[in-house]
Amino acid sequence: MIRTALIWLLFLFCLTATAGMARAQTCSFSASDIVFGQVDTLSSGATDTTGTISVSCSAFLGLLSSIDIRIHVGEGRGGANGATRRMTSTTTATPLNFQLYHDAARSDLLGGSYWSYGGQPIRLTGASVLTLLTTSGMNVPVYARVPGGQGSVIPGSYGSVFDRNPLDVRVDYTTCNLLLFCTNRTASFSFSVLADVVPDCLVTAEDLDFGTTGLLNSAIDATSQIDVTCTANSAFDIGLGYGFYGTGPGDRKMQDTGGNQIWYGLFRDAARSLSWGELGDGAAQPGTGSGAAQSFTVYGRVPAQATPPPGIYSDTIIVTITY
């Protein structure tokens, strides 16, 4: 009787110790913020950056025979437009699209079981993963991209916080020890995705051609076009320089190879009454960006004047966009 009781007590002790070991088999998760920095939304090229999810597990996991971790990433508080995640701003009404991926090529969408737009969770499993997790932990890269061509996004600071379980971040993991006692657990963590959209402008300009004439005994008019694309709500001014031979908005000259000159003017209006100069002259053309190209007409005039020798006369004007 005494020996039987002793064996029974030892058996109970082993069960209790094993249960305590299972309770200690836990992992912790954290992540760095994903910071894009300054983003040029007028560019057709994408802006890329990376973040890191860190995973570490207790030393007791060295006694396990298996581990299976799935890290699900959802939409973030900025929401989603279809399969595209979005950042928002407290000062603007336009979202900034971005996306998260498993791979550096940005082709394998990072997702999970708790959102509706595809992609797979991060999965960590196997003996090699277990060894890493129970020593120094593991850092898993997350690849992020803001696609180009979002010129309608108003400049400002944008962000999306991933902190809701399971809508934004959810970890499901299972640990099993050598005795095949398995425990299903859940965890969560938080991180932010951040970007600054900066004002930007692009400009192209046509040549202004007055054509061919014999005598300058009457005014000759011509027009050309300047196309400006600026980020939405960005104020800008278009300034025109004085050319190689001029001294001000009312004094521009074309010249031939012999140094002979023809006076001409550039104007902001069809009546040729408003000279077009630089911002410092108070003679620039103002505008406000929309994210799309806007066209501005340059009205040119060669006034009647003494006719110089025949030849090809030209000048070069620098177009300056101030924003």
Side-chain angles (χ1 to χ4, degrees):
M1 291 294 293
I2 295 175
R3 184 176 180 182
T4 300
L6 180 59
I7 293 174
W8 177 248
L9 288 173
L10 288 173
F11 183 64
L12 287 176
F13 175 78
C14 291
L15 286 179
T16 303
T18 302
M21 188 183 303
R23 285 193 297 270
Q25 295 162 356
T26 60
C27 299
S28 62
F29 304 84
S30 62
S32 66
D33 289 340
I34 297 175
V35 181
F36 285 98
Q38 291 189 344
V39 174
D40 181 359
T41 55
L42 290 186
S43 171
S44 60
T47 302
D48 292 339
T49 191
T50 59
T52 300
I53 296 175
S54 300
V55 185
S56 61
C57 297
S58 63
F60 287 103
L61 291 181
L63 301 175
L64 297 180
S65 59
S66 66
I67 187 169
D68 191 348
I69 298 176
R70 289 177 174 85
I71 303 174
H72 308 266
V73 180
E75 63 183 32
R77 289 189 178 270
N81 180 19
T84 302
R85 295 174 168 101
R86 302 189 299 182
M87 286 178 269
T88 58
S89 171
T90 59
T91 59
T92 74
T94 53
L96 177 65
N97 295 330
F98 75 101
Q99 196 52 277
L100 302 177
Y101 301 90
H102 288 272
D103 61 320
R106 272 79 175 175
S107 60
D108 188 5
L109 182 65
L110 174 56
S113 302
Y114 300 96
W115 85 317
S116 306
Y117 303 113
Q120 298 298 318
I122 296 170
R123 187 175 184 185
L124 306 175
T125 189
S128 60
V129 169
L130 179 61
T131 300
L132 288 173
L133 294 177
T134 55
T135 53
S136 59
M138 173 180 286
N139 291 324
V140 182
V142 175
Y143 300 92
R145 168 168 287 174
V146 172
Q150 299 188 65
S152 61
V153 177
I154 298 172
S157 296
Y158 287 78
S160 183
V161 179
F162 288 72
D163 63 350
R164 297 171 297 178
N165 179 4
L167 294 178
D168 302 326
V169 178
R170 170 68 168 257
V171 182
D172 297 319
Y173 67 104
T174 301
T175 60
C176 299
N177 63 19
L178 291 174
L179 298 177
L180 299 182
F181 285 99
C182 295
T183 303
N184 295 322
R185 298 183 183 277
T186 65
S188 188
F189 56 92
S190 65
F191 65 95
S192 296
V193 180
L194 304 169
D196 290 315
V197 175
V198 295
D200 190 21
C201 290
L202 305 174
V203 60
T204 60
E206 296 177 342
D207 290 340
L208 177 62
D209 188 352
F210 288 103
T212 302
T213 189
L215 295 173
L216 301 180
N217 55 2
S218 63
I220 301 173
D221 291 342
T223 61
S224 66
Q225 184 171 291
I226 297 173
D227 291 331
V228 179
T229 305
C230 290
T231 45
N233 284 19
S234 297
F236 62 87
D237 290 280
I238 308 170
L240 300 185
Y242 311 144
F244 287 152
Y245 316 107
T247 59
D251 177 44
R252 293 186 174 96
K253 306 177 186 72
M254 291 179 280
Q255 184 169 294
D256 68 0
T257 55
N260 301 296
Q261 295 180 332
I262 294 176
W263 278 263
Y264 73 99
L266 301 177
F267 304 89
R268 290 170 281 159
D269 63 323
R272 273 79 172 174
S273 61
L274 300 174
S275 293
W276 199 330
E278 296 179 340
L279 181 60
D281 304 320
Q285 175 66 48
T288 301
S290 65
Q294 300 179 66
S295 297
F296 297 85
T297 300
V298 179
Y299 299 91
R301 171 168 288 175
V302 173
Q305 58 193 282
T307 303
I312 297 175
Y313 291 78
S314 65
D315 192 15
T316 299
I317 297 295
I318 296 175
V319 181
T320 302
I321 308 298
T322 304
Y323 57 94

